[in-house]
Amino acid sequence: MDSKYYVTWEEYLAEHPELEGKPQQAIAPKIEKYEDAMFTFIMDLLL
Amino acid sequence: MTDAAARTNERNQIFRDLFSGKTPKRVPISNPATQDFAIQHAGLDLAECQWDLTKLEPVYDKFCQDFYTDTYPGGSIRIPSHYQILGSTPIVMSSSGFMQHPDVVGMLAEEYDQFIASPYDCIVETILPRLYTGFNGEPGKVAMTLAKAMRAQSDDLAHLGAIRAKMNAKYGFAGMIGALTEAPFDFMADFLRSFKGISGDVRRYPDKVAAACEAVLPLMIKKGTLPNPSMLGYTFIPLHMAPYLRDKDFATLYWPTFKKLVETLASMGQNVQLFVEQDWMRYLDYLYELPENTIMRFEYGDAKVIKEKLGQKHIISGLYPVTLLQTGTKQQCVDKAKELLDILAPGGRYWWQADKSIIHLEASGPVVENLKAVLDYVHENGTY
């Protein structure tokens, strides 16, 4: 999805160099979970 | 193993068989009455119970005890708190406590190009601020309103989820999970262009309607994707606008992206349940083309023709007229259930559901007794 309001983990990581060397396997699912939760919430407002 | 756990296992197997095209042990049943009905059945105030969800556990307990069903009954996607916080205009609570969806226009005709360029950006920047007052104003205030609304919905869903888990543990319902999405054309009509708006667009700007449906398709697929596809999960797609379209507009504007949506979800291993609203008899040949074992809950139509044309490939459901529960005698209601069972059950691929959800309950009316009689009849006579 091409949107400034939805970022993939790769796009997020590119914007947050401070995460280099951090446990990305633990961080990625959490960041993605809340990105998807916001997407679902927004779309539910139109269903 | 408890009795409830054994019932869950039995029901899970029935649905696994149904969804994979095997003839199950018996016809599975879903109670068509909603949470609104359950609250009225318990004699409580509809508005108060939807705001104070702590009142709902005994409501559901009575509901589950009084009416036979193989799947968890009720449920609600429209809980009032977050709509109120966001200043909703498309979903509002009526004075009698029912959540209603007035016809709204979230997107203007001249905004098609903006939508086609980036549907999600257009939704966030243009459509939501038009429909929800909470998306307007100072950025900090909007951010706080959104945070409060999300927290409210999250709390409400957690509360309803806890009740559901308790009822499943007590009554042993099948362990179903679901996602909700829409056909792209219906999404464009429903909250964005309105019934009247999209009907005009089909004639004035058919190319833009087609492009908008293509543009929004990835969002509809994402919205309908289950976290973990399973044989007991399904994506629910209510279908709205097709019966109001000319055949050629259906073929060029509605069908292509709807078909891609269903095919993509099915290719991910997901079951898809269509709520085939209004009369789709002239589109049965199209429906046949969808992936095998697509679940089709019909509102209207000729049960014999539907079974004949679709019943060897797809799973048929619905068609039981809930209005009969209000107007008919108990015997007439049971006779109708028998008639549909005789037509639709042979060979499997039949899930007993009604043609509509039951929302309103007239306290002195016959619906409670008639519904109980029908559900019990199908349970006792739907064995293969």
Side-chain angles (χ1 to χ4, degrees), chain B residues 261-330:
Chain B
L261 172 67
V262 178
E263 286 175 342
T264 305
L265 293 170
S267 73
M268 293 190 281
Q270 296 187 199
N271 302 305
V272 174
Q273 179 176 180
L274 309 176
F275 185 18
V276 188
E277 295 181 14
Q278 248 291 334
D279 187 342
W280 277 61
M281 291 303 285
R282 66 186 156 117
Y283 299 132
L284 293 187
D285 291 339
Y286 283 95
L287 290 176
Y288 184 82
E289 288 178 31
L290 293 174
E292 189 177 6
N293 293 324
T294 299
I295 306 155
M296 301 178 183
R297 178 185 174 193
F298 286 88
E299 184 172 12
Y300 301 120
D302 184 323
K304 281 183 186 163
V305 176
I306 290 170
K307 178 73 174 178
E308 189 185 306
K309 285 203 160 192
L310 303 177
Q312 301 300 310
K313 183 178 180 186
H314 298 304
I315 296 158
I316 309 301
S317 187
L319 292 167
Y320 187 92
V322 294
T323 49
L324 186 62
L325 301 172
Q326 176 71 27
T327 59
T329 63
K330 191 183 285 188

Side-chain angles (χ1 to χ4, degrees), chain A residues 1-7 32 34-47, chain B residues 78 82 86 118 120-121 123-125 128 131-132 146 150 153 182 187 191 219-220 222-223:
Chain A
M1 184 188 347
D2 184 18
S3 170
K4 58 184 142 176
Y5 299 104
Y6 184 91
V7 292
E32 287 174 331
Y34 293 113
E35 195 70 38
D36 285 339
M38 177 60 83
F39 171 80
T40 300
F41 181 81
I42 291 291
M43 296 302 290
D44 275 340
L45 295 176
L46 299 173
L47 288 172
Chain B
R78 287 172 178 169
H82 67 286
L86 288 171
S118 177
Y120 198 53
D121 287 2
I123 285 169
V124 173
E125 292 172 356
L128 290 178
L131 297 177
Y132 292 86
L146 186 56
M150 273 197 80
Q153 191 209 36
E182 271 190 322
F187 182 78
F191 284 64
L219 276 68
M220 298 293 98
K222 184 171 175 56
K223 181 66 180 65

Side-chain angles (χ1 to χ4, degrees), chain B residues 71-84:
Chain B
T71 56
Y72 181 65
S76 175
I77 60 163
R78 287 172 178 169
I79 318 163
S81 58
H82 67 286
Y83 289 111
Q84 178 65 34

Side-chain angles (χ1 to χ4, degrees), chain B residues 222-279:
Chain B
K222 184 171 175 56
K223 181 66 180 65
T225 302
L226 291 163
N228 298 300
S230 115
M231 284 311 292
L232 287 176
Y234 61 80
T235 301
F236 184 69
I237 309 178
L239 308 177
H240 304 310
M241 290 298 296
Y244 305 99
L245 296 175
R246 295 175 295 187
D247 289 0
K248 72 180 183 75
D249 294 330
F250 174 82
T252 55
L253 300 178
Y254 192 102
W255 179 250
T257 50
F258 167 55
K259 184 166 183 262
K260 279 185 209 167
L261 172 67
V262 178
E263 286 175 342
T264 305
L265 293 170
S267 73
M268 293 190 281
Q270 296 187 199
N271 302 305
V272 174
Q273 179 176 180
L274 309 176
F275 185 18
V276 188
E277 295 181 14
Q278 248 291 334
D279 187 342

